Amino acid sequence: MPIDGDVLDPVLHRLRVDGGLTAAQWCRAPGASSRVRATVVRHGLALEVGGGPRCYLPASAVALPVRAKAIDRIAVPLVLPLLDDLEGLFGELRRVLAPHGLLSLLLPAPASFGWRGGELRRAVRAAWRHRSAVEHPEWLASSADFAVLADDRLSFTLDRSDRDRSADVAALCAAGAYPPDLPDDARSALATHRSAGRTVRLRRIVARR
């Protein structure tokens, strides 16, 4: 069971903008004052009511153990590109969100890796299970009957970075900032890149049911 009910990968608490805002905070900021809030990942969700503690519920992202229209805000961090059933996910999000409820999607933003980074860019792109969830998440949200309110991007850098860049890359892949199934040669290229082994660009889509 996750520590203190949180389902977020620890890397999202380590990724920061200029040493301040974390990726975890950014993902959960929309609707932070809502009464009933949930964070959905592949293996479960953290549920919060008011100012109470988070409650962890193991579950599939496409079969949430929550009654219909019960949640005011749902955060979904780095999940969409890794799932097989995006239609099932959006169907569950529509089911459990209250009318006019907020959805916050955190996603990797496509990176160029510089003017010599074509081969690495193609390797990363090919390794995503659902490339459309990385390249056109706003279309997916709109086609699932969500009204997109905001589409923002920020660059985050790992604090407490490991001296072994390969360990940082492994952590970023495990969290979903890069593809978890990225081949070893592409991981090595990320580790030797001047910045990509520690800094990632993330995208946040905020939408309303």
Side-chain angles (χ1 to χ4, degrees), residues 156-179:
F156 292 84
T157 300
L158 278 174
D159 67 0
R160 303 190 304 278
S161 181
D162 200 302
R163 290 185 179 180
D164 179 3
R165 287 292 181 89
S166 61
D168 287 339
V169 170
L172 291 169
C173 288
Y178 290 123

Side-chain angles (χ1 to χ4, degrees), residues 28-114:
R28 286 173 164 158
S33 61
S34 300
R35 182 174 179 273
V36 182
R37 306 174 303 281
T39 302
V40 175
V41 294
R42 285 177 292 168
H43 55 76
L45 73 157
L47 193 64
E48 303 171 80
V49 179
R54 293 189 184 100
C55 172
Y56 171 66
L57 300 173
S60 165
V62 298
L64 301 174
V66 180
R67 64 181 174 83
K69 302 180 182 179
I71 300 175
D72 300 308
R73 190 274 283 145
I74 299 179
V76 185
L78 301 179
V79 171
L80 264 67
L82 310 180
L83 287 184
D84 291 317
D85 187 5
L86 291 184
E87 184 176 349
L89 171 66
F90 277 111
E92 272 296 89
L93 297 176
R94 285 196 308 270
R95 182 183 70 82
V96 302
L97 263 177
H100 309 296
L102 282 180
L103 175 64
S104 176
L105 302 172
L106 186 68
L107 303 139
S112 66
F113 304 114

